[in-house]
Amino acid sequence: MKLFCAPGTLSLLPHIVFLEAALPFTAIRINEHTKAIEGGGDYRTVNPLGYVPALLLDDGTLLTEGAAIVQYIADQAPSRRLAPANGSIERAKLQAWLNFFSSEMHKGAYGPIFHKGISEQSKEVFRDRLRTRYAHLDRHLADNTYLLGEDFTVADANSFAVTIWAPRVDFDLSPYPNVLAHHARIGRRPTVQAALEAEGPIPDPGP
Ligand SMILES: N[C@@H](CCC(=O)N[C@@H](CS)C(=O)NCC(=O)O)C(=O)O
């Protein structure tokens, strides 16, 4: 399996999950801005949408969307217990968190703040949105070590992969101590450290 990545992006999420699952994969770096594939080629011939992450399966199937990719990886390594069983209410709760990070946090807030064409005034609207979403996450983490309770799942990796963007958009996480503690807890996992190192430094300009 080939995982298309770019430093500083959501590809960190499946990268962590692959290492947690202990499954073999090849990481292929792309330039997020030019869409050049390291080693040659244009990424848009792989994923016409041009964004990462994307997972190319050995049979040629291309899977996009971080939330779908990490559930697929988790299901390939059930003994690692990275996602509850399909069809269970716990799995639906996991999907609710993955969707929360994708729609409410990533596309609904972080993405617009990163966008260079957006005014500072508009960015503040999206920082406000982050405030309500992080307040919700903070309340949940007051009573839960991990998002689904006592066990690490792909949802915790998703929280880490988006929350790491906070300093880059000048978003202050200090009002959310439970989020900060959870972020630090996930960041101490050897797989997370290894994924960060493998993804490499964020080029200038960042995403
Ligand atoms: N819906 C996608 C969004 C992925 C996404 O927005 N990736 C960003 C990096 S975090 C990207 O590659 N942006 C470049 C582009 O859209 O051209 C997912 O959840 O996986």
Side-chain angles (χ1 to χ4, degrees), residues 6 8-11 30 32 35 49-53 64-67 69 102 106-107 165 207:
T9 72
L10 189 71
S11 59
I30 71 143
E32 196 198 343
K35 309 300 176 194
L49 292 166
Y51 56 65
V52 288
T64 60
E65 308 309 317
I69 294 170
S102 170
H106 183 177
K107 289 292 156 180
W165 295 332

Side-chain angles (χ1 to χ4, degrees), residues 109-162:
Y110 276 110
I113 310 175
F114 271 122
H115 203 285
K116 294 186 175 49
I118 286 189
S119 71
E120 193 46 46
Q121 193 185 3
S122 302
K123 288 183 183 187
E124 219 21 65
V125 172
F126 293 107
R127 287 195 190 94
D128 260 344
R129 188 173 284 175
L130 281 180
R131 285 181 192 105
T132 57
R133 274 53 174 178
Y134 273 113
H136 168 70
L137 187 58
D138 199 66
R139 282 191 296 273
H140 181 76
L141 289 170
D143 303 321
N144 294 282
T145 308
Y146 296 103
L147 285 167
L148 289 198
E150 293 309 309
D151 296 317
F152 172 88
T153 66
V154 299
D156 299 289
N158 203 343
S159 182
F160 183 87
V162 298

Side-chain angles (χ1 to χ4, degrees), residues 150-205:
E150 293 309 309
D151 296 317
F152 172 88
T153 66
V154 299
D156 299 289
N158 203 343
S159 182
F160 183 87
V162 298
T163 301
I164 201 169
W165 295 332
R168 289 170 52 204
V169 298
D170 295 324
F171 184 74
D172 179 16
L173 286 168
S174 64
Y176 317 104
N178 302 312
V179 170
L180 281 172
H182 176 262
H183 190 66
R185 187 175 310 129
I186 305 306
R188 284 193 293 272
R189 294 176 82 85
T191 53
V192 174
Q193 289 302 314
L196 280 168
E197 196 174 323
E199 291 252 318
I202 300 167
D204 193 27

Side-chain angles (χ1 to χ4, degrees), residues 19 39 63 71 92 127 134 187 198:
L19 297 178
L63 191 60
Q71 290 184 75
R127 287 195 190 94
Y134 273 113

